[in-house]
Every structure is written in structure tokens, then in C-alpha cells.
Amino acid sequence: MKKYFLFFWVLFFWGVLISQNPNRQFESYSQNQNIVKINTNDGYFLIKFLSDHIAETNFIPSGEAYDAHSESVILHKAIPVSITDNEVELDLSSTGICVTVKKNPFQLVYNYKDKLLLSERLGYIKTDSLKTLNFNIGGDDVLYGTGNRVLGMNRRGYKLPLYNRAHYGYETHSELMNYTMPLVFSSKIFAINFDNAPIGALDLDSEKNNTLNYETISGRMTYQVIADDSWEKLIANFTSLTGRQPLPPRWAFGNFASRFGYHSQAEVEKTVDLFRENKIPLDAVVVDIYWFSKGIFDEMGDLEFEKDSFPHPEQMFSDLKMKKVKSILVTEPFILTTSKRWEEAVRENILVKDSIGNPKTWKFYFGNTSLIDIFKPEAKKWFWNIYKNLHIMGVDGVWGDLGEPEVLPSDAIFQKGKADEVHNIYGNDWAKLVYNGYKSDFPSQRPFILMRAGAVGSQRYGMIPWTGDVNRSWGGLQAQPQLALQAGMQGLAYMHSDAGGFGANNDPDDELYLRWLQYSVFTPIFRPHAVEDVPSEAVYRDKQTMEAAKKIIDLRYKLLPYTYTLAFENNQTGMPFMRPLFYMEPDNQALYAYDTAYLWGADFLIAPVLNKGEKQMEIYFPKGYQWTDFYTNEMYEGGKTQSVSLKENHIPIYVKSGAFIPMVPVFQSTEDYNLSQMEVHFYFDKSVKESKNELYNDDGKNPNAFEETLFEQIEFNAKYKKNVLKILVEPDYGVKFAPYSKKVNLVIHHLDNKPKKIKINGKKVKFEWDDKAKDTFSLPIELDELEVEISIKF
């Protein structure tokens, strides 16, 4: 009886919830090349299925022309769709998504395998200044997405602007930041992407009437609904729609020396030398705006080396390469009227215009300025030639700053349209410019493109975004996990922070600094960066803090095989490095807004310490597994929240039972990285009967290493049955990869008793057992081109 009561209650609830636009009337439908056209009295719909999990809907109001161009998606070809028609409704369905067109009153309803996702309430509405799409959503949907915001994990209840704008010094609350997206995810495991570039707003049920509302000043009334059975599959479908991140160069996963900023070539060289002298790993150094400017005012746009401060840049880059350190220069798209390049920029016609066709100028923090029209072919060529020449000079990476754009008057005119029509895709097209430039002129190199703003799909251009100029405070740190987790869900898996905090607070809080670094080990990019008042580099902190930071950085390098494999997984499937716990437990509503801890890949549970002086923390351990403390080997049962004591020298890190974790010795640079000596930790648990992990490796440089078969993959499999643990290590080499032998120390955790016998490839081997080894057991093996099978009898 309770079952039927619930069923009728749900029907009643949705009946009350759903209303329709009373003025829209169904007239007819037709189909052409798998695209279904629905004619109504005030326009027509074009509905097509891009896969069994993605349905795209376009509404073209009467009097408007269909605009097929998308800035955010790369899937366009429609697949066949099943159509069922009767007097009441028209059903368009695949094996997954179904779009139901209710005829009278008119309405579109979206289902996935009989699960109601959402429906148009009023649908398309036009006012004097706005175009709106209005939907019904479920009363219990937790909503994510909309780009970078600090609102907690659940963003429901807010009306949020879609206008990229930096929030300097943000901490625990921010409704508008540098990276906004017209994109919403639901806890029901679906997403809706409003495929339109101009500025606007997303209302995530701010009126508490179970309504989702997208509004914009102009453009396409196009959206895609994406749905699947699991978060992993949903992310895979979403990134198949919008594109996946190319693998960055391997050095991008190392340690950065970065600040605002190094004022001279001598400062850069001194900093790098201090890292090498103190044996702290370092892979890259960032040179901020002082490479072209002695101060911060009046010279932005010069984009050529300041000769007094950087007298020999080519030699500097050459020397850095000899020390196995890459270089990144900060650049901006603003050209000040006081810049050395102003007259050139005007002459070359590369700047945005005013209403009468002159270069548009305005004032902002750095001076009187204009902006490069990134959409104009001649401007693209001009800007890329600067990057090209810097790369030839020896520069390894591009940092594009202020790309929201930071200040852009609404009356500025681009070749592509008015300012507010292209504002939110400016950063996207800037990254695209650099990415395509590398593909054309340096096709054998992976670009490094660090940028602060972009759009839906910017990941496909290799953009590595960061969370903006966060306050150097505990509040600033507290905002970071949710920002990275939300971004990863939205395709931006490389979202990371200025580790240590950027500025505003000049108190050198060593506890904050180290806690931030500890967290950053388990983020995609490890890049300490700050205003120079408080050093971001470990080598400029006091000796005790420096030594503590060195251990943190060493751990980052030891775990590079695992991290690089996550990067490959992201490249192939779209899965982010950092994952909310509800990815593992999608039916656990208590986790929908949880960000105290997160998953690093599939096998690590990370709980960053976000409060000063914190001694104890409550952590939820996902069900279905035991979780092992990375440092103490203590096991925690999954499915429970447990209180753990905190240590100063590390944050809580746990490993999932059945996992294989590869580690390498500490290299001072990833240029020395190889797998010839590895330690592979296996976290044995008798309740996990089978498990496997993969390790991916290539040269870290070739952008097409996988496609050109220049890679190796090692698969680790474990099976436990009848008191016998079998571990199979299977190397797989791409056709063009040159294999090399590896010495692997296999460390097995949680062996309670000494094994009776051990066989490697069928041959019994002698082994040493240490009763004091905290239930860990080490077994050395040689790995070459053939698989290795280990059998352990208890």
C-alpha cells in the first residue's frame, strides 16, 4: 500500500509542478536526415539525438533564421531516432533518452529510461531585453555547475550571472567569478548545456518553485540534455559532446616556482639555483609581467623583454633548460595607449572598435587601454607571431592572464559581434589561438596553456585553468576543493589554485602555507604562487618550513606514475582527477553536498585540512571497501563517518582496498622521470576478491604518443581465492615504444600471517618475512616484456 501511495504522490507532485506555455500550439512535425522538425504557431523546434544519451533541442522563433554554429560542442551528426505518434503526444526516443512532445497543451518532456529528468514549463519566452528558456525540475534535485562559484557544492537557490569577471581576494562566498558557464548538472545524473555564447544568467530555483531558468541577451535557443546511469558515464558523454583535454607535457605535473613577480633575470636564476642547491624538485619557473615592464602601470602590451632587467633572455632560457627547468611567461591581451606597441597595434588593425570604427579605449587598473580582437584573423596572426617568436627564443609555456576579459565596455565592437555577445568566449578563443598555433608550427610539442577564463569546452584546446586571485587566508583555502570538484564535473579537470594563496593578507602563516601545499599534492597542477610580499617558493621560507615543504613536494614526485595515469584517463574518458564521493555512492543523498573529503582518482581518499589549528576531523569513508591510512597502515571500514586525529606533517590520505599504487624515487626534474625503479603498493583485503589497476607511460612530450603507439601500459590484476593470492603484472607496449627492464618492489599491505610459499611464474622463490613490518611485505620482481604471475599461498 505504501508503494502505491508513493507512486500516486509522485504523480500528483509532478502534476502540480508542471505547467505549460498556454500560447504555444503544436501544428505538425516532419523528419529529415534524422532531425525532427516540430512546427508551432510561434516558431519551430529542431530536435536531434547526438547519441543515445544526448538530445539537442533548438527553438527558432518566427521571423528568425536557424543558426547552426556552436561555440561549445563538437558532436553535430544526428543519429536515427524512433518516433511514436498519436493524438496526445509525439515520442522521440533512443535506447536511453526520450523526448516527449505533448501536443495540447504544448510541452517538451525529457526522460531517461523512464526516469523523469526535466520538462519545459513555459519554454521559450521573449521580452524587450531578454530571451528565456524556462523549465520544471524535481523538488529534490541537487544542482551543480554554472562555472566557478563559491557557494558550497549545491548551487540550488541562486540566480547567477553568466558574465566572466574576476573576484579578487575571494574567500568563502562568491557568486560571480572568472569562469562562468551556462551549464547545470543534477544529482539525478543528467546535465543541460545551454549552447549559447552571449552573457545572461542562470536561475537555479531562486524563487523556490522548482524552476530552472536560462536567460540571455541574444543568440541561440539551443540546449543539449545529457543523461546516463552513472557519473562516470555521464562525464564521458558530456566530454564526448564538448571535447576532451589533450595530455599536457609531463613537466606540467611537477613543481613550479611562481610569484608576482621576478623583477629581473638575476632573480629568476637565483631562485632556480636555490631549488637545485636545496634538492627540492623543480620543473618550471613563471616570469610575470616584469619581463616586459619595470612596474605594473603604463607598459602592458609591450610584450618584449625589458633590456635592463632581462638583458640576455635567450641565454637565460638556454641555461634554464640545462638545469632541466621550463619557462612560462605571463601575457595579457590588453594593449595600453602608452605601450611601445600601441601605434603598431593601431596600424595593424588588431584592436576592438568603437561605434565609428576607431580603436575603442577605456581606463582600467593598469592604464588607458584597448583590447586585441581575438576573433579577427589579422589579430590572431599578430598575437600568435609574438608567441611563436617567444617559443623560438626558448619559452616553454603560455600564461594568459586577465582573459575574462577583466574590463570590457559593453559598447566595444569585435569582428564577431558586440562585446556582450562574445565576452564569455574571449578566453576560449585565446586558448584556441595558442593551441592551433602549436599544432601548426610546433606539431611535435605539447603546449602548456594556463588561463583564467574560458567557456564550455575550453578543455579541448588544452586550457589549464586556475581559480583566480584567491585571498591568502584559511577562508581562501576552504573554497578550493569545491571549486576544483565542480570544475572537473564540467570538463575542466585541470582546475587548480595559487597554492598558498595569492595575496591581500601579508601574514606569513606557515601552517596555512603547508596545509595548502599538502592539499595541492592531490590537485592536477602543483603551482605555489603569490604576490611577492610573502614568498610562495619553499626556498624563501624559514628553514623548518622549507624542509617541511620539501617533503610535501617529494611526495608529489613520488606519486607521478599515478597522477600521470589519471591524466591519461582524463584524456581518454573525460573523468576528472578530483571526484566527489557521490561518484562512488550516487544514491547516498548525504553526499550530494559533501566536500570535506574527495577522491583522487579511483583509489585515494583525500581530506584536506582547511581550518587553523584543527586537531580532529570527521571523515566519511565510502562504502564497499576498507580504507588504509597511507602513513600508519591503519584500516577504516567503509560506509561510516569516523573521527581521525590530524598530524602537522600531512593531511589525511587513505587508499582503497584492492588498489595498486605505483611510486618512483624522487627526481629533481620530470626530465629524469622513468619507471626503471618502481615501488608498487598493493592494498590487500580478503573481502576484495578481484581488483585491477593500470599504469600509463609515454615520453611526456609527443602530443600524439598514444595514437602513434609510443607508449606503455602496465596492468596489475589481483585475485584471491581459497587462501591463494594471485597477482598478475601484464606490460603492454605500443608498437613503436622501446621497452626497458624495470626493477619493481611489490609492497603488499595487510598480510596478517607469513605466507606458506610464494611462486613467481610457477617457480618457488625464497623470501624474507619481518614480523615487525606493520603487516607489510616486500617482494622484488623483474619486469621486462613478458607478464609476471605471482602466487602467494597462505
Side-chain angles (χ1 to χ4, degrees), residues 668-708:
Q668 292 302 298
S669 165
T670 58
E671 281 199 25
D672 298 322
Y673 176 88
N674 64 77
L675 302 178
S676 60
Q677 293 189 45
M678 270 197 300
E679 201 169 71
V680 177
H681 291 254
F682 174 59
Y683 289 82
F684 177 55
D685 181 354
K686 291 179 181 179
S687 68
V688 180
K689 302 303 180 185
E690 293 187 24
S691 64
K692 74 173 185 177
N693 287 75
E694 287 187 352
L695 186 160
Y696 175 83
N697 185 43
D698 57 29
D699 69 354
K701 300 174 182 177
N702 186 337
N704 302 305
F706 183 69
E707 292 76 11
E708 295 175 6

Side-chain angles (χ1 to χ4, degrees), residues 238-292:
F238 173 69
T239 53
S240 73
L241 175 69
T242 60
R244 293 189 177 135
Q245 184 102 15
L247 266 176
R250 181 157 38 227
W251 60 262
F253 299 100
N255 179 33
F256 287 60
S258 182
R259 66 160 60 183
F260 179 43
Y262 302 116
H263 290 260
S264 68
Q265 180 174 336
E267 282 189 15
V268 172
E269 292 169 342
K270 175 188 174 184
T271 301
V272 170
D273 288 343
L274 282 172
F275 274 93
R276 290 293 179 247
E277 288 168 15
N278 287 281
K279 297 192 179 341
I280 299 176
L282 181 69
D283 263 275
V285 60
V286 174
V287 186
D288 214 313
I289 63 173
Y290 299 119
W291 69 273
F292 62 75

Side-chain angles (χ1 to χ4, degrees), residues 161-367:
L162 295 169
Y163 187 90
N164 294 349
R165 175 178 288 166
H167 180 170
Y168 290 104
Y170 70 89
E171 292 188 337
T172 57
H173 186 87
S174 181
E175 297 184 21
L176 181 61
M177 295 179 67
N178 50 297
Y179 207 127
T180 66
M181 292 192 276
L183 172 64
V184 180
F185 283 77
S186 165
S187 54
K188 287 182 179 173
I189 315 183
F190 76 90
I192 180 167
N193 176 50
F194 296 98
D195 189 2
N196 189 43
I199 66 171
L202 271 170
D203 190 330
L204 279 57
D205 195 29
S206 67
E207 298 294 324
K208 302 189 184 309
N209 58 355
N210 299 325
T211 300
L212 171 67
N213 204 66
Y214 168 70
E215 62 185 38
T216 181
I217 60 167
S218 62
R220 290 156 34 99
M221 293 292 94
T222 299
Y223 59 91
Q224 296 91 23
V225 175
I226 312 105
D228 216 310
D229 300 306
S230 69
W231 283 100
E232 291 81 359
K233 292 178 180 178
L234 179 66
I235 299 302
N237 279 293
F238 173 69
T239 53
S240 73
L241 175 69
T242 60
R244 293 189 177 135
Q245 184 102 15
L247 266 176
R250 181 157 38 227
W251 60 262
F253 299 100
N255 179 33
F256 287 60
S258 182
R259 66 160 60 183
F260 179 43
Y262 302 116
H263 290 260
S264 68
Q265 180 174 336
E267 282 189 15
V268 172
E269 292 169 342
K270 175 188 174 184
T271 301
V272 170
D273 288 343
L274 282 172
F275 274 93
R276 290 293 179 247
E277 288 168 15
N278 287 281
K279 297 192 179 341
I280 299 176
L282 181 69
D283 263 275
V285 60
V286 174
V287 186
D288 214 313
I289 63 173
Y290 299 119
W291 69 273
F292 62 75
S293 172
K294 287 185 177 180
I296 61 175
F297 300 112
D298 300 326
E299 296 175 80
M300 185 171 288
D302 282 5
L303 298 175
E304 62 182 36
F305 279 93
E306 171 58 55
K307 292 181 180 179
D308 292 338
S309 307
F310 291 85
H312 307 293
E314 293 97 334
Q315 187 61 51
M316 178 181 75
F317 296 134
S318 176
D319 291 345
L320 289 173
K321 284 177 170 54
M322 290 292 291
K323 296 168 185 174
K324 301 178 181 179
V325 174
K326 306 298 183 184
S327 56
I328 302 160
L329 294 189
V330 173
T331 57
E332 297 86 6
F334 292 91
I335 309 290
L336 300 188
T337 57
T338 51
S339 162
K340 295 175 184 177
R341 290 190 185 267
W342 174 255
E343 291 184 4
E344 176 190 350
V346 173
R347 183 176 65 251
E348 296 296 327
N349 195 28
I350 65 166
L351 301 172
V352 298
K353 303 292 187 181
D354 62 19
S355 60
I356 59 174
N358 294 322
K360 172 73 177 175
T361 60
W362 59 93
K363 291 183 179 180
F364 84 139
Y365 180 74
F366 297 95

Side-chain angles (χ1 to χ4, degrees), residues 514-719:
L514 293 174
R515 289 303 194 196
W516 210 314
L517 295 193
Q518 290 164 359
Y519 157 71
S520 297
V521 168
F522 299 96
T523 64
I525 303 294
F526 186 92
R527 185 184 54 82
H529 180 72
V531 175
E532 59 191 313
D533 299 336
V534 177
S536 58
E537 310 92 338
V539 294
Y540 291 123
R541 309 291 290 215
D542 64 74
K543 184 177 181 181
Q544 182 178 350
T545 304
M546 182 180 72
E547 290 175 353
K550 172 177 164 45
K551 291 178 182 178
I552 295 167
I553 296 166
D554 284 351
L555 177 61
R556 173 76 178 187
Y557 278 73
K558 288 177 183 178
L559 289 171
L560 272 173
Y562 184 87
T563 302
Y564 195 68
T565 300
L566 292 185
F568 176 70
E569 182 186 7
N570 171 256
N571 168 255
Q572 294 292 301
T573 71
M575 274 295 281
F577 300 71
M578 300 170 66
R579 306 167 189 180
L581 297 195
F582 60 75
Y583 278 26
M584 285 189 75
E585 296 187 36
D587 296 326
N588 187 345
Q589 296 185 20
L591 297 179
Y592 289 172
Y594 182 88
D595 65 352
T596 301
Y598 62 89
L599 298 168
W600 177 244
D603 300 310
F604 277 103
L605 177 67
I606 308 299
V609 178
L610 306 177
N611 295 290
K612 186 175 182 64
E614 196 168 7
K615 304 297 183 186
Q616 207 79 11
M617 182 185 292
E618 300 285 318
I619 300 173
Y620 178 76
F621 294 87
K623 68 180 180 182
Y625 298 92
Q626 301 278 356
W627 296 86
T628 298
D629 188 305
F630 185 72
Y631 292 98
T632 68
N633 226 31
E634 182 180 355
M635 294 183 75
Y636 292 81
E637 185 179 349
K640 295 182 177 181
T641 297
Q642 302 196 49
S643 181
V644 300
S645 297
L646 302 178
K647 307 296 182 184
E648 289 183 0
N649 59 341
H650 63 80
I651 58 175
I653 304 168
Y654 305 93
V655 185
K656 187 176 73 176
S657 57
F660 289 87
I661 305 297
M663 299 175 69
V664 292
V666 175
F667 300 104
Q668 292 302 298
S669 165
T670 58
E671 281 199 25
D672 298 322
Y673 176 88
N674 64 77
L675 302 178
S676 60
Q677 293 189 45
M678 270 197 300
E679 201 169 71
V680 177
H681 291 254
F682 174 59
Y683 289 82
F684 177 55
D685 181 354
K686 291 179 181 179
S687 68
V688 180
K689 302 303 180 185
E690 293 187 24
S691 64
K692 74 173 185 177
N693 287 75
E694 287 187 352
L695 186 160
Y696 175 83
N697 185 43
D698 57 29
D699 69 354
K701 300 174 182 177
N702 186 337
N704 302 305
F706 183 69
E707 292 76 11
E708 295 175 6
T709 69
L710 290 163
F711 68 90
E712 62 177 330
Q713 286 179 291
I714 303 173
E715 186 172 290
F716 300 93
N717 292 275
K719 292 185 179 181

Side-chain angles (χ1 to χ4, degrees), residues 146-161:
T146 77
N148 274 1
R149 324 273 179 173
V150 185
L151 303 169
M153 287 296 286
N154 186 3
R155 295 177 173 181
R156 186 169 185 149
Y158 289 93
K159 182 174 182 179
L160 300 168

